[in-house]
Every structure is written in C-alpha cells, then in structure tokens.
Amino acid sequence: MRIFLDTANIEEIKRAARLGVVSGVTTNPSLVSKEGTADYEAIIKEICSIIPGPISTEVLVEGVEPMIEQARQIATWAPNVVIKIPAGTDGLEVTSVLAKEGIKVNFTLCFSLNQSLLGALAGASYVSPFIGRLDDAGHNGMDLLEDIVEVFDHYQLDTEVIAASIRHPQHCLTAARIGAHIATVPYNVLMQMIRHPLTDIGISRFMSDWKQASK
Ligand code: G3P
C-alpha cells in the first residue's frame, strides 16, 4: 500500500518528503483554506514541485461546464496534478470527459460501492471512499473499503482505491490488510504510524547501557 499525505501544509509536506515514504498528496478546499492563502494556483504548484507523485486538487466550482473548464485549467499547472471531482451525476459526466482527454481524476467524496464503481467506469484514475466520515455517521468505513477493493479486483479495474478520511493508525493497518492501493493520511497519523513506545524505551536503554560500559 502506498502512502499519500492528506494536507496542504507546505512544512508538513516538506518534512514528510524527507522520510522517503510519501508518494503523493491529496488536498481539498477545506485543507487549502486552513493555510490562509487565496492563491490556489501558487500553493498547488508549490506542492507539485515538492512531491513528484500525484497531487490531488479539487475543483472549486459546481456544474458540469464550470467543473470541466476549471479542471482543464488546473491540469495545466503541473504534470503531476490530479483533478478531484466530487461523486454525483455531474461529477460522473465531468470525469468521463476529462478521462477521455487524458486528464487524471480522483473521484472523491465516495460513500458507497455504487458511486465508486461508476467513478471507475467513467474513467477515474482513483476513487476516494471517505472512511472516517462514514465511521462518524455510524457506519463502518472499512466494510465499504473492503467491498470496493474486492469488486475492483474481481473485474480487474485499473482504477486505484484511496482510503481517505483516515483518522488514526488503526485505519491504516486495516486499509493495508484489505489491500487498498493507497492510504492518504494526515501528517499526525503518519507520525503515529512510525512511533512505538517500546522503540523509544529500547533506544534509551541501548544508549544508557553503552554509556555505562564506556565509562
Ligand atoms: O482525504 C479526504 C480527507 O481530507 C477528508 O478527511 O478528516 O475531513 O474527513 P476528513
């Protein structure tokens, strides 16, 4: 399973890039708005220059024609940009147009297998089921992820499944067990994934033992 970073924070992206485990970034309008800039193009271009992998960038408009027009514009910002299109009737039509033009789409805000399947059939490169938000609503996000992975695998669909709206390390390991292609994780979850108290205790014991021996 590959790891994408789910943030628009440049410092977090730079720090995570140095770890050598992040192969893409996903953003959304809420994440970008937290960064206190109105220059959407500049921040996305900067992210695209830090991580060479796919950088998901959502359209900021609604309606078929406005979304297509804006997506075409965003697609010129960098070679690694991927356009996030929200699931829905308009989103399907937009995805199908963009896919035919060779523009990569991340079909986002997926909350059902049917939405995900239709996104894949329309030509999306990625579908993003929002696991945490389903859990918040009293469902089991991982059950949906498992269904999508199984069905895509069954029909050998090329569309990759991104486990999105990840809230904690348990989500990551379940997504990996299920066989999600990608998990997109907030920076704090990435940090939680690598930390283990026994590792910290082990390091400090090794250091103090060595100090004693070398006195
Ligand atoms: O990748 C989708 C993500 O940004 C949404 O996460 O925590 O707002 O549900 P969250």
Side-chain angles (χ1 to χ4, degrees):
M1 183 175 75
R2 308 202 299 288
I3 299 289
F4 288 2
L5 204 61
D6 193 34
T7 184
N9 183 278
I10 298 296
E11 278 318 303
E12 287 182 349
I13 294 167
K14 283 183 176 165
R15 283 203 296 272
R18 289 201 291 272
L19 304 179
V21 294
V22 170
S23 52
V25 174
T26 52
T27 69
N28 63 40
S30 304
L31 290 172
V32 176
S33 67
K34 280 204 278 187
E35 298 311 309
T37 173
D39 195 341
Y40 199 44
E41 181 173 347
I43 191 165
I44 296 300
K45 280 182 169 170
E46 187 170 1
I47 296 170
C48 288
S49 72
I50 301 168
I51 301 270
I55 310 299
S56 288
T57 307
E58 194 149 345
V59 288
L60 304 173
V61 290
E62 293 181 273
V64 173
E65 283 315 317
M67 281 198 278
I68 291 174
E69 199 181 314
Q70 191 174 61
R72 285 180 180 144
Q73 188 59 36
I74 294 171
T76 66
W77 292 351
N80 52 336
V81 87
V82 171
I83 312 297
K84 255 185 166 180
I85 301 291
T89 317
D90 286 356
L92 269 185
E93 189 174 337
V94 172
T95 298
S96 136
V97 170
L98 297 177
K100 286 189 185 83
E101 293 177 11
I103 295 175
K104 288 194 169 168
V105 170
N106 176 350
F107 200 61
T108 189
L109 283 168
C110 287
F111 293 98
S112 74
L113 173 58
N114 280 334
Q115 287 178 319
S116 309
L117 181 59
L118 291 172
L121 295 177
S125 301
Y126 307 92
V127 294
S128 291
F130 275 32
I131 307 307
R133 290 192 194 184
L134 270 173
D135 291 354
D136 292 344
H139 298 273
N140 186 336
M142 285 300 162
D143 285 350
L144 172 63
L145 185 69
E146 195 165 12
D147 279 352
I148 299 170
V149 169
E150 192 181 313
V151 168
F152 281 23
D153 194 44
H154 182 77
Y155 292 105
Q156 297 175 350
L157 299 177
D158 290 335
T159 306
E160 293 196 293
V161 182
I162 303 180
S165 184
I166 291 282
R167 302 282 171 74
H168 46 71
Q170 192 72 29
H171 272 155
C172 295
L173 65 90
T174 309
R177 284 189 184 125
I178 285 171
H181 301 97
I182 297 149
T184 187
V185 305
Y187 183 78
N188 70 311
V189 174
L190 182 66
M191 293 301 105
Q192 288 171 331
M193 286 170 76
I194 185 64
R195 275 194 212 117
H196 197 289
L198 291 179
T199 306
D200 297 341
I201 291 167
I203 292 172
S204 108
R205 197 172 294 158
F206 286 156
M207 291 301 127
S208 72
D209 285 350
W210 180 245
K211 254 185 218 149
Q212 283 296 111
S214 55
K215 259 183 190 167

